[in-house]
Amino acid sequence: MVVMSIPVKTPIAQHIPQSFLRAGRASVMAVIVLSLSSTSTQCFSQAKSTAAAATTWVGTWTAAPQLVEPGNMPPSPGLTNNSLRQIVRVSIGGDTLRVRFSNEFSTSAVTMNSVQIAASTGGDTIDVSTNRELKFRGSPAVTMDGGTAVISDPIAFRLTPRMDVALTIYFGQTSATVTGHPGSRTTSYLIDGNTTSTTDFTGAVTTDHWYTINAIDVLAPSTAASVAILGNSITDGRGSKTNLQNRWPDVLSEALLKDSTTRHVGVLNLGIGGNCVLAGGLGPTAVSRYDRDILGQSGVRWAIICEGVNDIGGVTSAGGAATVSNNLINAYRQMILKAHASNIKIYGATIMPFKGNAYYNQYSESCRSTVNQWIRTPGNYDACIDFDKVMRDPQDTLRLVSTYQNDGLHPDTTGYRTMGQSINLTLFPAPTP
C-alpha cells in the first residue's frame, strides 16, 4: 500500500505536478515515464503513442469537494470495507487519463484498497472488457490522510466525448467525516465487500451522491483546454433530472462538442448547492475555494462566475443591499485579477430574477440590480453571459419565464437548456498558432 497524500494546508500547486494545474508547463512524457512501474507494457505502448501527439493535461470532468452534511452521508452498509460504484459523464475524450480523489474535508484517513475504471453500460453495470485498475505510484492501494488528496498514475483508457464511466472503489478503513459532492444528480451503488470488477451490482444500495471522487484529466493536444464554472445550485443542477446529465454546463458541453471550432473544450462544473460567495451557505465559500476549484483545474483557459444569488437572497435592508453588492463586486474583482494572472479569460454571468421566491424583496432586488449592472459593464469581466436577459419574463422582468422554472429561483430542464444554448461559443476560441 502507498500512502500518497497531498496536504492542503499549503498551496496545492506545491504538491500537485504543475502539469496537472496548468496546461503546457511540463513535459507530459515525463509524467508517463514516471508511471512505467505501474502500467503494463501494452498500456504504456498505447500511452506513449498518444503522448507523441498530445502535450497537456486537460480536465474533462470534476465535482467541487465539500464536507458531506449528515443528511447526505453514505447509507448502510457504509463505505468501510465495501465497494462503491459511481457514474460520471465526461466532456472531452482522450486515450490517456488520470483521476483525482479528495479527502480534503475529512478529519481521518481513508484507504482505497482498489480502484477500477470502466465504461458504464447504464445503471450499475459496466462493460467488463474495458475495466482497468488504477494505481498510485505503482500500487493498487492508497491511503489519504485527512485534509489531503491523491492523483492516480496515468493509464491508457479510450475515453470518448460525453462518455459515461464507472469508478468503482473498494474501501478499507474510512473517516467518520466524509468528503464528497452531495448534489451529484447521479445514482451511485454501494455493496458489501470487494466487488470492484463485478459487471453488475445487483442488490446494491443506491444513493444520489458522490463520495471521494474529484476530477478526471485527459492527455490532450495543445489546442485543447477547459472552462471551469464557479456556481451554486443553479450550476449544480437543482431542478434537472437525475441521471440525465442535463444541467446547463452539460448543455454547454454538448454545444461545444458539436461545433468543429470548439470540440476541444472541456467543461468543468464546480457548482455547489446552497453555496455563497462571501459567507454562510453550504460548502466552502466561493472566495475560499476559488484557487483550488477554478485556478487549480487542469488546462483551464476560461472561467465563468455564476454565483451571488444566495448572498443577495439574505438582504433585508437598504444598508444590507449596499454592503452585499459592494462586497460581491470586490470579490469578483479579486477573482478577475487572479484569473488574469494565470492567463485565464473570465466571464461573468448575470444573476437571474427571483420574484416569487422567498429571496425576493425590494432590497434584495436592488442589490441584484446593482450587481448585474457591474457585471454587464464592459471592462470588468472579459465578457458578460447575460442569463438574466435570457431567462426573465418579458411581461415581468423581475420573474423567470414561468415555463423555465420550478420555484421562482431554480430553472427546470427547459430553463437549463435555454441557458446552455444561449452562450456564445466564440467566447472559447482555439489558441492562435
Side-chain angles (χ1 to χ4, degrees):
M1 179 188 300
V2 172
V3 179
M4 186 184 71
S5 297
I6 304 165
V8 295
K9 294 180 181 179
T10 53
I12 199 164
Q14 295 179 15
H15 302 277
I16 298 178
Q18 286 297 309
S19 58
F20 182 81
L21 297 178
R22 188 65 55 234
R25 289 194 181 177
S27 167
V28 171
M29 199 63 184
V31 176
I32 295 178
V33 170
L34 287 173
S35 69
L36 265 169
S37 62
S38 64
T39 310
S40 69
T41 301
Q42 180 181 5
C43 287
F44 175 70
S45 174
Q46 295 169 359
K48 184 177 180 180
S49 63
T50 300
T55 59
T56 190
W57 288 108
V58 176
T60 184
W61 173 85
T62 192
Q66 66 179 96
L67 178 66
V68 175
E69 307 93 346
N72 294 321
M73 291 289 282
S76 179
L79 300 181
T80 298
N81 297 324
N82 295 319
S83 296
L84 177 68
R85 176 164 290 168
Q86 303 176 91
I87 314 301
V88 305
R89 183 169 295 176
V90 301
S91 51
I92 58 174
D95 292 325
T96 302
L97 61 79
R98 61 185 180 186
V99 185
R100 188 178 191 270
F101 302 85
S102 176
N103 198 38
E104 292 165 81
F105 294 90
S106 307
T107 55
S108 302
V110 168
T111 294
M112 298 187 295
N113 289 324
S114 177
V115 183
Q116 312 277 336
I117 186 169
S120 169
T121 53
D124 62 6
T125 63
I126 62 170
D127 179 352
V128 71
S129 69
T130 68
N131 200 47
R132 301 288 184 271
E133 183 176 57
L134 298 181
K135 292 188 178 181
F136 305 86
R137 293 185 180 174
S139 173
V142 65
T143 294
M144 297 180 287
D145 291 332
T148 68
V150 298
I151 306 165
S152 74
D153 300 339
I155 187 172
F157 188 94
R158 187 171 183 272
L159 198 68
T160 57
R162 299 297 291 170
M163 178 181 181
D164 287 346
V165 296
L167 289 160
T168 307
I169 306 170
Y170 170 42
F171 288 95
Q173 289 299 308
T174 61
S175 175
T177 52
V178 178
T179 299
H181 187 83
S184 66
R185 272 90 199 173
T186 308
T187 303
S188 300
Y189 305 89
L190 181 62
I191 199 166
D192 288 322
N194 180 9
T195 53
T196 50
S197 60
T198 302
T199 301
D200 69 83
F201 266 34
T202 301
V205 176
T206 60
T207 180
D208 292 342
H209 308 298
W210 286 318
Y211 306 107
T212 308
I213 57 175
N214 182 207
I216 300 176
D217 292 343
V218 292
L219 204 56
S222 58
T223 53
S226 60
V227 51
I229 305 168
L230 188 72
N232 47 47
S233 56
I234 293 171
T235 297
D236 206 23
R238 180 173 176 179
S240 64
K241 298 299 183 182
T242 300
N243 295 320
L244 293 186
Q245 317 304 331
N246 53 6
R247 316 162 190 85
W248 74 259
D250 291 297
V251 177
L252 172 61
S253 175
E254 291 168 355
L256 289 165
L257 289 168
K258 289 176 183 177
D259 191 311
S260 62
T261 65
T262 56
R263 61 189 177 193
H264 61 285
V265 180
V267 177
L268 303 177
N269 185 338
L270 282 307
I272 293 180
N275 199 232
C276 288
V277 174
L278 303 170
L282 298 177
T285 62
V287 292
S288 69
R289 67 189 181 95
Y290 179 76
D291 287 9
R292 178 194 62 236
D293 286 356
I294 301 300
L295 305 183
Q297 301 299 326
S298 295
V300 174
R301 193 176 294 154
W302 309 277
I304 299 173
I305 308 302
C306 185
E307 187 152 13
V309 71
N310 290 326
D311 303 82
I312 293 169
V315 170
T316 58
S317 68
T323 298
V324 170
S325 61
N326 286 336
N327 289 346
L328 281 174
I329 289 167
N330 286 334
Y332 298 152
R333 284 193 175 111
Q334 290 303 308
M335 292 177 185
I336 292 166
L337 288 172
K338 287 184 176 182
H340 289 168
S342 297
N343 296 316
I344 294 170
K345 291 281 189 181
I346 182 167
Y347 308 138
T350 50
I351 310 298
M352 297 186 299
F354 47 78
K355 187 177 180 181
N357 185 269
Y359 275 179
Y360 180 82
N361 61 64
Q362 63 177 318
Y363 307 113
S364 60
E365 178 55 35
S366 172
C367 184
R368 184 181 78 91
S369 178
T370 299
V371 170
N372 278 351
Q373 182 179 356
W374 187 89
I375 292 172
R376 290 187 176 108
T377 300
N380 291 330
Y381 282 107
D382 292 311
C384 170
I385 296 172
D386 206 340
F387 285 153
D388 171 46
K389 185 177 180 180
V390 169
M391 296 291 289
R392 67 194 182 196
D393 187 337
Q395 306 305 316
D396 184 353
T397 58
L398 304 184
R399 295 179 184 270
L400 292 170
V401 173
S402 61
T403 55
Y404 286 176
Q405 52 88 27
N406 285 303
D407 54 9
L409 177 65
H410 297 94
D412 60 10
T413 54
T414 302
Y416 284 131
R417 180 154 294 278
T418 301
M419 292 172 68
Q421 291 178 340
S422 74
I423 298 172
N424 188 344
L425 301 188
T426 63
L427 294 174
F428 312 100
T432 303

